[in-house]
Amino acid sequence: MSNYIVLVKQVPDVSQITDNAFDPETGTLVRSRLASVINELDAQALAFANKMRQDSSDEAGKIIALSMGPPMAEEVLRYSLSRSADIVILLTDRALGGADTVATANPLAFAIRKIVKEILKNDNDYYVITGMQSVDGDTAQVPAQIAEELNLPCIAYVTDAQFKNNRFEFTRIISGGSQIVAAKKLPAVITVAKYEYPLFATFSRTRWANKTQVIHWAASDINAAHIGVTGSKTSVIRVFPPGKSTRKCQQISDAESLAKILVESFKSGNGQAGKNGQAQAPQYVLPNKRASLFNRNFEGTKKEQADYEILSGKLQKLGITRTNQIDDSSKEKILEAAGEHFHKKALEDMIEGFKLAKPSFEGEVWIVAEHSDGVVHPATFELIGKARELADSLETKVGVVIAGFNIEAMSKELIAAGADSIYIIEDKLLGVFDPTAHRKAIADAISTYWPQIVLYAATPQGRMLAPMVSYRVSCGLTADCTGLDIKDSSRKGDIGLLLQTRPALGGNVMATIRTKNSRSQMATARPGVMKRIPPDPSRKGKIIRHKVKLTEDDVNLEIIKTELGTGQVDFNADVIVSGGKGMQSRDNYEQLLSLLCDAMSKRLDTQVERGASRAAVEQGFIERVHQVGQTGTSIGPKLYVALGISGAIQHMIGVANTETIVAINSDPNAPIFKQCDYYIVGTVEDIVPSLVQALE
Ligand SMILES: Cc1cc2nc3c(=O)[nH]c(=O)nc-3n(C[C@H](O)[C@H](O)[C@H](O)COP(=O)(O)OP(=O)(O)OC[C@H]3O[C@@H](n4cnc5c(N)ncnc54)[C@H](O)[C@@H]3O)c2cc1C
């Protein structure tokens, strides 16, 4: 009999976000201005646990919902009771507040240990089920880090479970397709990416839920190792609003006008390919190479930035431009000139900070390579391009660590892409990606060579591996970064830090984060944002073989079936027309896409290729090889036409480098309309035939 510990989180309702939800000074969210709701994926996880209990005909199995948060988070536990939970526990204590993912996963893991001991009476036949990520943090790191703390298998991005031969087989999303897997041992952590059969509360169950006791535990009840701000390994330096979309987002009223725009956009090529990367920041220079004290790339809070401006202004007035000019007598003069603006201690700290020259971290800049069937994932090459820039600034080398079996042949391409050293970990047991085996191998290499920066691609594989590795080697990790820069923080004299910028709250704010209390700074970076540098086959690099002792026990997943796209698609075509779930049926997809692709091909005199959203592929409208997006292919055509596609982040990541994006969708509030250049509100059945006619 299995039991189910379901993790549920109370989050702000970001679907209802308004402009006044943010503090204009700090850019931070004012939580009280938004309603609080259960994290949607956690509600799905609860329904998923209920399905597992029903499918295994194991009605005696308990569903225990666990949440960590303020006292008002009781609401999500009552929600859980009214749907399917039998017992609910709230971990609540001021000391737990302000935590990053490590200081969230750690107390939750300790609470799970207490549940197992006191409620399940040490019965190890249980699953921890949780949503893949929460909408406020969007990191997907906590479940993997809980698994790491508890030393359990973790099956991420699950969309279905089948009870067969007395055990569960899980369907999950992987890059390029899907996979059916089973955990080789229990307990196991399962993260739910999509389960669309919600549970509804009955009247009697709601009455029972309101009367049932919510068990409260404080920090002292669980004795976790890392809690709150002090137990965190990252800290937020700055929160700011995202820049406005550079897409035109222009509504077009009729098909004839849209046809004209399609032709003009294609011919003039005036879209924005390549503009989506980061603006080129001036390259960071180490202190001992700086021409002047003020040539520094600095980032801090608004107050720290302002303090820096004041102090550097005063120094310039005093004619001090080099750190060796700061001696005891000039220090007196500085204190006198700037004293009115600062406390003496803060000012002294800042002056001392100016004098520091040694970088805060040492070692190489590393990339963890992702590959499959001897082919390196494109995101790995993008990261090597970024690592080259970071390493050149820090005057260090770029290392790529690659784990697998029969992998050496890929080294050549990795070196040509910008790597100086390739760390190869070869073992038969690493032949297919198993999170626990691979994290053991990578963590072992990191804790042998201690690079100062480790970057992973924010693909499903990278977002699974990175939290496990970082937790195992006690380092901070920032998820899904869209900006990575080396900068100083003058106040505390930190030199050459990796500042990690990422969207949060469903893209409604941006946060810049730094690593603390760690020997290495780690981040996953969003595919399609960093730029690959042109390969140079004449580059030379070093091969280092790293041995790690692995046994069958390190492999935790049994892979039952892998489904990857096969067939040929030419995504280098200048025009790609994609259909989504809104195409309604395979016939509709086939008929409408044929019509539009033919008409565009003739009118524009170019090749037009077909694409699809993941949902359309899952509906069977077209083969998987046509999927565009995070787990499909990233494309960058001149023109992209999205038919009946909502604009989920995982889809849009894949079209970020497109010049012109056009969308047709029947929902006037479709998210894609805020991420495209031109759109028409209407059904594909109405718009596509008139568009074809207008093109002809
Ligand atoms: C780890 C992970 C990886 C993923 N990777 C990818 C990926 O690589 N690529 C990808 O695409 N998704 C990916 N997804 C899934 C993604 O989150 C979305 O679920 C998916 O993109 C939605 O596809 P869709 O827009 O076709 O469907 P929906 O979101 O269901 O949208 C359908 C749209 O069609 C519109 N519509 C309905 N009827 C009509 C009509 N008659 N005419 C016009 N419009 C109509 C609706 O208004 C709606 O906007 C991933 C998810 C996860 C968790």
Side-chain angles (χ1 to χ4, degrees):
M1 179 197 73
S2 295
N3 294 296
Y4 305 89
I5 300 173
V6 183
L7 305 181
V8 291
K9 186 176 182 193
Q10 191 177 47
V11 293
D13 185 359
V14 291
S15 65
Q16 303 298 324
I17 222 152
T18 53
D19 285 345
N20 81 348
F22 294 96
D23 179 329
E25 282 291 299
T26 59
T28 50
L29 182 74
V30 184
R31 282 287 289 250
S32 55
R33 293 198 185 138
L34 279 181
S36 292
V37 291
I38 185 168
N39 181 46
E40 170 56 27
L41 282 169
D42 295 342
Q44 293 183 17
L46 191 70
F48 197 81
N50 193 53
K51 164 203 161 62
M52 285 175 70
R53 179 166 67 176
Q54 277 175 357
D55 288 359
S56 59
S57 313
D58 217 356
E59 293 301 321
K62 287 190 186 65
I63 295 183
I64 302 165
L66 169 66
S67 189
M68 181 167 112
M72 69 182 279
E74 259 200 40
E75 283 171 23
V76 296
L77 292 171
R78 299 220 179 271
Y79 171 102
S80 308
L81 282 170
S82 69
R83 267 68 180 182
S84 62
D86 305 295
I87 299 171
V88 294
I89 299 159
L90 179 64
L91 195 52
T92 183
D93 199 315
R94 273 183 187 280
L96 299 166
D100 72 350
T101 61
V102 166
T104 303
N106 188 266
L108 282 169
F110 275 70
I112 291 168
R113 282 200 183 106
K114 189 173 160 76
I115 291 172
V116 174
K117 187 168 170 223
E118 296 176 9
I119 300 174
L120 303 182
K121 308 291 176 211
N122 290 321
D123 178 359
N124 266 333
D125 186 350
Y126 70 92
Y127 288 93
V128 177
I129 315 261
T130 175
M132 151 189 108
Q133 62 188 34
S134 63
V135 291
D136 51 351
D138 279 346
T139 70
Q141 289 174 187
V142 170
Q145 293 180 326
I146 290 175
E148 189 57 33
E149 172 63 37
L150 298 173
N151 200 17
L152 304 183
C154 182
I155 305 180
Y157 303 112
V158 166
T159 54
D160 197 10
Q162 298 283 328
F163 192 67
K164 279 188 184 164
N165 306 326
N166 231 10
R167 66 167 188 179
F168 281 103
E169 295 182 356
F170 297 95
T171 306
R172 65 171 183 160
I173 294 174
I174 57 165
S175 283
S178 63
Q179 205 168 50
I180 300 178
V181 296
K184 279 180 145 185
K185 58 178 190 192
L186 284 188
V189 176
I190 309 295
T191 84
V192 176
K194 189 181 82 179
Y195 183 66
E196 286 168 344
Y197 305 95
L199 291 171
F200 296 100
T202 59
F203 182 62
S204 61
R205 184 111 194 162
T206 305
R207 270 182 48 168
W208 173 78
N210 287 336
K211 282 191 295 188
T212 300
Q213 188 209 354
V214 173
I215 301 170
H216 281 221
W217 286 343
S220 57
D221 291 314
I222 51 162
N223 283 320
H226 308 288
I227 60 164
V229 176
T230 47
S232 297
K233 296 203 168 285
T234 54
S235 60
V236 177
I237 296 185
R238 199 159 77 90
V239 177
F240 55 100
K244 286 263 174 275
S245 165
T246 47
R247 296 277 169 203
K248 297 186 187 73
C249 307
Q250 196 178 319
Q251 182 173 0
I252 308 300
S253 54
D254 58 279
E256 243 168 66
S257 313
L258 185 63
K260 272 192 201 136
I261 285 171
L262 289 179
V263 176
E264 276 162 24
S265 305
F266 180 76
K267 296 239 156 101
S268 65
N270 61 355
Q272 60 156 27
K275 285 193 203 160
N276 281 306
Q278 297 161 264
Q280 202 61 38
Q283 185 169 355
Y284 177 86
V285 179
L286 283 168
N288 56 9
K289 292 276 173 71
R290 287 175 197 159
S292 149
L293 190 57
F294 310 109
N295 285 2
R296 63 188 321 190
N297 233 331
F298 164 76
E299 181 151 337
T301 59
K302 224 174 179 181
K303 168 94 174 63
E304 283 172 341
Q305 296 269 13
D307 287 353
Y308 176 75
E309 297 298 325
I310 294 171
L311 183 57
S312 51
K314 298 286 175 197
L315 289 171
Q316 263 161 322
K317 264 198 185 148
L318 291 169
I320 297 174
T321 56
R322 302 196 58 80
T323 45
N324 60 11
Q325 291 172 275
I326 305 178
D327 56 17
D328 284 349
S329 78
S330 59
K331 209 164 134 185
E332 281 307 313
K333 282 193 206 148
I334 303 168
L335 288 172
E336 203 175 298
E340 61 181 302
H341 299 284
F342 308 101
H343 286 301
K344 189 159 180 256
K345 175 79 179 76
L347 186 53
E348 281 180 344
D349 282 355
M350 284 167 71
I351 297 169
E352 287 310 307
F354 271 122
K355 289 205 277 181
L356 289 175
K358 192 170 174 300
S360 305
F361 291 84
E362 287 176 72
E364 297 183 346
V365 177
W366 271 23
I367 304 302
V368 177
E370 185 170 329
H371 58 95
S372 149
D373 290 334
V375 180
V376 179
H377 194 288
T380 299
F381 292 120
E382 293 166 14
L383 288 183
I384 297 175
K386 186 69 194 180
R388 192 67 268 162
E389 174 198 320
L390 303 177
D392 289 347
S393 303
L394 292 164
E395 298 180 6
T396 185
K397 297 214 151 43
V398 173
V400 173
V401 58
I402 180 162
F405 190 58
N406 283 337
I407 47 179
E408 188 167 341
M410 285 178 275
S411 312
K412 240 182 167 178
E413 222 184 338
L414 296 168
I415 292 169
D420 299 307
S421 314
I422 311 295
Y423 296 81
I424 297 183
I425 315 171
E426 187 122 26
D427 196 303
K428 252 195 174 134
L429 293 171
L430 298 170
V432 283
F433 179 73
D434 180 89
T436 44
H438 275 249
R439 69 90 162 87
K440 184 173 178 186
I442 302 289
D444 194 276
I446 289 172
S447 52
T448 304
Y449 299 99
W450 283 114
Q452 63 176 298
I453 292 172
V454 183
L455 305 177
Y456 313 72
T459 52
Q461 199 181 102
R463 293 187 78 173
M464 172 81 243
L465 185 65
M468 290 183 130
V469 171
S470 62
Y471 196 92
R472 195 173 170 97
V473 298
S474 289
C475 290
L477 173 71
T478 303
D480 199 22
C481 294
T482 52
L484 294 168
D485 299 286
I486 305 294
K487 288 190 180 175
D488 293 345
S489 157
S490 85
R491 192 84 180 250
K492 301 179 186 76
D494 292 325
I495 306 293
L497 303 181
L498 178 72
L499 295 190
Q500 307 140 29
T501 300
R502 67 179 302 259
L505 278 167
N508 287 294
V509 293
M510 301 297 290
T512 300
I513 292 166
R514 63 161 291 187
T515 308
K516 56 174 197 169
N517 317 331
S518 307
R519 192 149 165 199
S520 187
Q521 308 162 91
M522 301 194 180
T524 62
R526 184 175 287 187
V529 179
M530 317 291 164
K531 294 272 167 285
R532 179 179 182 164
I533 47 179
D536 172 3
S538 67
R539 286 194 83 247
K540 297 269 173 289
K542 224 169 48 179
I543 306 273
I544 298 140
R545 289 176 190 288
H546 182 73
K547 269 262 155 260
V548 180
K549 204 166 175 305
L550 291 162
T551 66
E552 280 290 342
D553 271 359
D554 293 310
V555 179
N556 273 328
L557 298 189
E558 182 190 332
I559 296 168
I560 297 162
K561 190 172 164 196
T562 301
E563 254 184 42
L564 294 173
T566 51
Q568 287 289 314
V569 171
D570 185 4
F571 275 142
N572 289 321
D574 278 341
V575 180
I576 293 168
V577 179
S578 274
K581 197 171 167 186
M583 300 307 295
Q584 314 286 351
S585 67
R586 191 180 168 99
D587 285 351
N588 242 12
Y589 179 99
E590 182 52 43
Q591 195 195 347
L592 294 176
L593 262 91
S594 289
L595 274 176
L596 187 55
C597 290
D598 285 352
M600 287 181 77
S601 180
K602 275 193 204 128
R603 183 74 179 81
L604 304 175
D605 193 19
T606 190
Q607 189 205 341
V608 179
E609 184 55 274
R610 293 175 187 201
S613 69
R614 186 167 182 111
V617 169
E618 277 162 6
Q619 295 291 312
F621 297 172
I622 191 159
E623 293 69 44
R624 169 119 18 226
V625 68
H626 289 265
Q627 184 187 317
V628 169
Q630 187 197 27
T631 48
T633 305
S634 288
I635 55 172
K638 274 184 164 181
L639 190 54
Y640 183 68
V641 183
L643 307 176
I645 291 180
S646 59
I649 180 74
Q650 295 91 350
H651 186 81
M652 299 314 287
I653 284 173
V655 295
N657 289 324
T658 302
E659 284 188 16
T660 303
I661 300 179
V662 174
I664 300 174
N665 197 303
S666 55
D667 173 7
N669 298 314
I672 198 168
F673 292 160
K674 293 204 172 116
Q675 307 169 72
C676 69
D677 296 289
Y678 305 100
Y679 65 91
I680 284 201
V681 181
T683 65
V684 286
E685 294 84 349
D686 282 347
I687 307 293
V688 171
S690 10
L691 184 60
V692 167
Q693 211 173 21
L695 282 166
E696 280 164 355

